[in-house]
Amino acid sequence: MSAWTVLGDGVSVRRSRCFEMNTLVAQRDGHTLLIDPGVLPSELDELVAMTQKVSPDLNHVSLAFTHPHWDHVLGLPWFPGAETFAHSGFHDVLEQESLAIDRSAREELAKHGEALPHPFRAFEPLLKARGTTRVTLGPFALVTYDTPGHDPNHLSLWLPDEGVLMAGDLLSAIEIPWLDGPPWVYRSTLKQLHWLYEQEDVRVTVPGHGPLAHGRVAGYRRLLHDLQYLAQLEERVTEAWRRGWSLEETRADLATMAYTGRDAAYPMNDVHAENVRFTWQALVNGDLPGVRD
C-alpha cells in the first residue's frame, strides 16, 4: 500500500510505491485539490476514492502539476472534468514528448505489476502561470515560483494558508539536484527558495520524491545541502577542466565524490554522472559564471 501522511486541516500527502513520488491532497468546503496526482493506477484509484468522500461526483476537483515529467502527469483521466493548472510551457512539452511519456510510463508501471489502462494523451491546462503569481483553485490560494534547473517549465507551489511548500522535484532527502542544463540555473532556483524560507512560515516541505521535511529549519537544511552539492560539483569539474581532462576522465574522477543516493537502493549514480556532463559542457560553452580561461 502507499504511505499516507496526514498534515491536518484537510491536507494529506500520499507517497507512491513508484520512486517514492509525493501527491498532495487538500480538501475544504467540498472541494479537493491534488498536486501531482500519481503514479500507479491503483494509487490513482486510491486518490479517486479519497476525493469522492468530499466530492462524490468528482465535480469540485482541481489538479495542479509542478512539471511535465512522465511520473507527474498521468492523473487527469481519473478526474474527468477537473480544473487543471500548470506552467505556461507545460502543454508544449506534453505535445512534443507524449509518445516518450507513454513509453516511460508503461515500462515503469510494468515493474510494479501494473499497466496504464489507456494511451497517454497530451492535455492543455485550463489555467497557466509563469513567474511569481497568486492562483486560486477552488478555496485554495497558491503562490507560484518559477523554479527551473530540473526542467525549464518547473513550478514550486507555496500554499500560505496551509504552510506547505510543494517543491516539485527539488529539496529531496533521497535525490541530489537533478540537472537539465548548467548548474547555475538550478543554483539560482535554490537562491529564490532561500528567500521563501526566510520570509514565510514554511511548516512542511513536500519534495517530489521521498520523505517530507517538517519545519522551516528542516527544509532550509535541505536547500543548503543541495547548494553544497552543486558547489562541490562545480569546483571539481572546473579543476578537471583546467587540467585539460576529457569528459570521460572528469566523470571517472567525480565518481569518487560523496553525494546523496550514491550506490543506494534508489540510486543517483547515473544522475550524478549526467550532472558532471552538464557542468563540463557549461564550461566548454562558457556558460558557467565566474570561471575564466
Side-chain angles (χ1 to χ4, degrees), residues 34-110:
L34 301 103
I35 302 179
D36 287 349
V39 175
L40 304 177
S42 62
E43 295 170 335
L44 286 159
D45 290 342
E46 284 182 47
L47 292 176
V48 169
M50 186 171 186
T51 300
Q52 287 177 323
K53 293 178 181 179
V54 170
S55 310
D57 299 324
L58 300 179
N59 55 353
H60 296 287
V61 179
S62 298
L63 307 182
F65 302 89
T66 59
H67 63 294
H69 288 176
W70 78 265
D71 49 334
H72 293 255
V73 299
L74 301 182
L76 180 57
W78 275 261
F79 299 94
E83 176 184 50
T84 51
F85 167 74
H87 190 278
S88 297
F90 180 90
H91 173 252
D92 289 344
V93 176
L94 294 192
E95 282 282 315
Q96 296 165 11
E97 301 293 332
S98 59
L99 292 178
I101 291 171
D102 185 85
R103 181 172 61 251
S104 294
R106 293 183 184 280
E107 290 173 356
E108 294 299 332
L109 297 187

Side-chain angles (χ1 to χ4, degrees), residues 209-220:
H209 303 268
L212 313 186
H214 294 271
R216 185 178 68 88
V217 171
Y220 188 56

